[in-house]
Amino acid sequence: MATILRSFPTLSPESRSTRFEGRDHGSPISFFLIDTDPGKGSDLHTHPYAETWVVRAGTAEFTIGDEQIVGTAGDIIIAPPNVAHRYINTGTGPLQMVCIHPGDRIVQELV
C-alpha cells in the first residue's frame, strides 16, 4: 500500500526545513528538505555513508574535507563517507535542496 505525507513538521519553529527518517514510514531512504536563508547552514559533521545534495534553488558553499565547492541550482554534490562536511547559503535568497541519506535513519556525528 502506498503512503503519502502531505504535511511534515519543520526542524524547529524558526525553520522552514524538514527531516524525513525512512524507518518511521517504511522507506529505506532518509533526507532533509532544506529551505534556508542567506548565511545559514549546517555545522561540520560526518556520516558513515555518502551524503548526496541536490541543489534546487540558490547558491551554497560546501566544505568537504579540505575542499570548498560552490553549488547552484541543478547541481548534485556528493560527500564521501566519514569525511567532515558542511554547507552554508552564500547566495542572496533562499537555498532549497534535498540532502539524501542512503539509510532508513540519519546517522550524524558533529565534528
Side-chain angles (χ1 to χ4, degrees):
M1 178 182 282
T3 301
I4 185 167
L5 304 171
R6 295 190 188 268
S7 178
F8 217 72
T10 58
L11 295 174
S12 71
E14 306 83 36
S15 176
R16 297 183 308 271
S17 298
T18 60
R19 177 181 179 139
F20 173 87
E21 294 222 54
R23 69 179 172 185
D24 298 335
H25 307 283
S27 174
I29 301 297
S30 299
F31 57 84
F32 289 99
L33 294 178
I34 300 299
D35 183 356
T36 194
D37 292 321
K40 305 285 184 179
S42 66
D43 293 325
L44 195 63
H45 62 278
T46 62
H47 309 285
Y49 47 74
E51 180 176 6
T52 303
W53 294 289
V54 180
V55 181
R56 304 294 297 147
T59 302
E61 181 177 276
F62 297 85
T63 300
I64 304 170
D66 295 332
E67 284 185 86
Q68 273 77 40
I69 300 167
V70 174
T72 60
D75 289 344
I76 298 171
I77 298 115
I78 302 157
N82 303 307
V83 174
H85 59 272
R86 67 170 300 196
Y87 70 86
I88 187 163
N89 179 348
T90 55
T92 58
L95 170 66
Q96 296 177 344
M97 66 179 178
V98 181
C99 307
I100 303 167
H101 295 250
D104 68 349
R105 65 188 179 97
I106 295 168
V107 179
Q108 181 167 299
E109 185 174 323
L110 294 177
V111 176

